[in-house]
Amino acid sequence: MFNVQDIRKDFPILSRKVNGKSLVYFDNAATSQTPQQVIDAIIDYYANYNANIHRGVHTLSQEATDLYEQARQKIQAHFNAKFSHEIILTSGTTDSINLVANGFSSLLKKGDEIIVSALEHHSNIVPWQMLCERTGASLKVIPMNEEGELVITDFDNLLSKNTKLVFVNHISNALGTINPIKYIIDKAHQVGAAVLIDGAQACPHIKPDVQALDVDFYVASAHKMCGPTGVGMLYGKEDWLNKLPPYQGGGEMIAEVTFEKTTYADLPHKFEAGTPNIAGGIVFGAAIDYMNRIGFDAIAAYENDLLNYATEKLLAIDGLKIYGTSKNKTSVISFNLEDIHPYDVGTILDKLGIAVRTGHHCAQPIMDFYCIPGTVRASFSFYNTKEEIDTLVEGVKKAKMMLS
Ligand code: 7TS
């Protein structure tokens, strides 16, 4: 049974005061908060197992290695990957995307085309622009409409035999739109293109099945899923990961090294040079366990209820406009109050203990589309409540009174 008051007891930070007020944390799309079970897993690692992995005969190293590889298996099971070696542990979504973009440098040539969408975070735009500069490939963009949805018929028209790669986020960080990724994957495969889905914003809300999606690459960050910062994952189909050259050279990613030639280790180690974020990897597994214990169906249903409640209450404020009005969206509300600068609204909300993000949300093309400098973004998680939304609504009314 989903009981938000019981769940909130797991998150020590939620009882904090900010500026003398009870914290209302609505910046979950930037990073999620950390339950005690995950904090305990961090302490447990450093108190009991801290050692370097994959290289020691001693007991601590073997225990740490076992825990790290068990975490990889948990991530594999969570995303339903066929093999655990298809899961590469990285420092986060940005790192995972750069790993793939660098790998494709030797596989693309002039005339090849890459498709991204107008709804991307900068970390799913810039690495592909850099890849185009290196290879002479060109970048095409799936446009968006007023509701903040992709214009999917235009995607169909962009596809051609020259399309080699398609990159789209599962859920937009700035607007919350859930993109039709299964359609995009299937259509891209019809012309032989590979597809990378940026799941950074989806994984806190839904449980993706990479085999059912038939996606080639899927990436996510632990810190948006109740886990620690500095760790994330790349799922890649075995065939693709074997085709891509390693991203970084170093220890533990080799089979044999001489000054004449180096051969690379098998998957997943080929892509994991150097000492990884060992505690982070292990604790990523603990965070996935925590979220699965609550259950993604319960999380989605509860957050959808919060989204509907907040949308209705905020829209009742005169002059408030919500950006991103797709029927298919997750618990993110991006809004502006008339022509008041979002930064000013965010500053007043902070004084009231309410944490929101303001600005372009690293998705500047979306702001350009709407001809605005940015928005105020309130993003909800399963540990938020309707009472907190009421506090936000009162705060926004107060900000409007003070600033207009
Ligand atoms: N892709 C999407 C869709 C994101 O929302 C983010 C981070 C990233 C990639 C990058 O993830 P990282 O873990 O490598 O930094 N999004 C946000 C945000 O919306 N506010 O702060 C970070």
Side-chain angles (χ1 to χ4, degrees):
M1 229 354 231
F2 186 92
N3 181 328
V4 71
Q5 291 309 333
D6 283 348
I7 288 169
R8 287 176 70 81
K9 290 184 195 136
D10 291 338
F11 291 82
I13 209 167
L14 296 180
S15 48
R16 230 205 99 152
K17 299 267 185 229
V18 170
N19 294 322
K21 312 275 188 209
S22 295
L23 168 68
V24 172
Y25 187 76
F26 284 159
D27 196 18
N28 294 286
T31 201
S32 53
Q33 290 304 342
T34 316
Q36 191 62 50
Q37 291 84 337
V38 170
I39 298 170
D40 288 344
I42 298 171
I43 295 168
D44 188 39
Y45 171 76
Y46 283 109
N48 295 307
Y49 306 101
N50 186 25
N52 214 328
I53 55 171
H54 297 138
R55 56 192 93 199
V57 289
H58 63 81
T59 302
L60 283 191
S61 174
Q62 284 173 11
E63 286 176 355
T65 303
D66 287 349
L67 286 171
Y68 194 75
E69 291 307 323
Q70 278 165 24
R72 194 192 304 278
Q73 284 162 12
K74 267 181 205 170
I75 299 166
Q76 174 205 352
H78 182 76
F79 287 92
N80 194 30
K82 196 165 172 190
F83 307 112
S84 66
H85 60 254
E86 291 177 319
I87 303 295
I88 311 298
L89 286 155
T90 65
S91 73
T93 301
T94 304
D95 191 30
S96 302
I97 293 171
N98 278 281
L99 187 161
V100 177
N102 272 275
F104 269 96
S105 298
S106 55
L107 303 180
L108 294 189
K109 58 180 187 326
K110 199 167 174 1
D112 287 342
E113 291 175 1
I114 297 176
I115 298 178
V116 295
S117 95
L119 290 177
E120 298 311 306
H121 186 280
H122 295 165
S123 70
N124 208 23
I125 300 175
V126 184
W128 310 119
Q129 287 174 327
M130 291 159 73
L131 175 63
C132 287
E133 276 168 24
R134 287 195 296 275
T135 60
S138 57
L139 203 65
K140 310 268 163 186
V141 182
I142 313 169
M144 60 183 278
N145 64 19
E146 271 299 314
E147 285 72 40
E149 296 165 329
L150 295 179
V151 183
I152 218 67
T153 44
D154 285 15
F155 169 63
D156 294 349
N157 296 332
L158 287 176
L159 283 169
S160 77
K161 64 176 187 351
N162 297 327
T163 312
K164 295 292 179 275
L165 295 164
V166 176
F167 304 106
V168 178
N169 61 40
H170 195 162
I171 294 181
S172 153
N173 72 312
L175 305 178
T177 315
I178 304 174
N179 290 316
I181 58 164
K182 182 61 182 151
Y183 178 88
I184 290 170
I185 293 164
D186 290 347
K187 276 279 179 175
H189 284 168
Q190 283 171 18
V191 299
V195 181
L196 179 144
I197 299 294
D198 171 353
Q201 293 296 336
C203 293
H205 310 289
I206 48 187
K207 188 170 169 171
D209 179 331
V210 292
Q211 288 190 77
L213 286 169
D214 194 25
V215 67
D216 303 290
F217 302 99
Y218 195 98
V219 298
S221 295
H223 70 92
K224 295 191 199 283
M225 305 171 64
C226 298
T229 53
V231 65
M233 52 79 69
L234 160 68
Y235 159 78
K237 278 185 187 162
E238 184 185 48
D239 284 353
W240 272 117
L241 292 178
N242 279 328
K243 257 185 249 171
L244 294 188
Y247 176 33
Q248 294 180 315
E252 294 304 312
M253 54 75 71
I254 50 87
E256 206 173 347
V257 177
T258 66
F259 281 108
E260 286 69 44
K261 188 170 169 49
T262 292
T263 50
Y264 304 127
D266 291 335
L267 295 173
H269 307 293
K270 179 175 115 178
F271 291 109
E272 295 182 358
T275 301
N277 181 349
I278 302 168
I282 293 170
V283 177
F284 190 3
I288 283 179
D289 283 346
Y290 178 83
M291 292 200 72
N292 277 313
R293 271 198 302 276
I294 292 177
F296 279 84
D297 287 345
I299 288 173
Y302 180 76
E303 290 177 343
N304 197 44
D305 197 28
L306 288 183
L307 173 69
N308 291 337
Y309 182 79
T311 304
E312 197 187 314
K313 293 270 171 179
L314 286 169
L315 281 178
I317 300 173
D318 213 25
L320 186 144
K321 177 171 175 177
I322 292 180
Y323 298 88
T325 50
S326 174
K327 279 198 262 324
N328 257 334
K329 69 177 277 191
T330 190
S331 51
V332 170
I333 301 186
S334 245
F335 65 90
N336 274 332
L337 272 176
E338 292 157 349
D339 54 1
I340 300 171
H341 199 282
Y343 179 84
D344 296 334
V345 179
T347 306
I348 291 178
L349 292 178
D350 179 57
K351 293 273 176 289
L352 301 170
I354 305 165
V356 292
R357 185 170 170 190
T358 63
H360 56 52
H361 315 297
C362 303
Q364 224 169 329
I366 299 180
M367 304 302 136
D368 292 347
F369 174 86
Y370 289 118
C371 301
I372 51 175
T375 66
V376 181
R377 183 187 68 182
S379 49
F380 312 122
S381 183
F382 58 89
Y383 43 73
N384 290 128
T385 64
K386 287 186 179 168
E387 290 72 33
E388 289 180 309
I389 290 169
D390 292 340
T391 307
L392 170 73
V393 171
E394 287 314 305
V396 173
K397 283 184 187 160
K398 194 165 179 181
K400 189 184 163 206
M401 218 166 60
M402 289 168 72
L403 296 166
S404 48

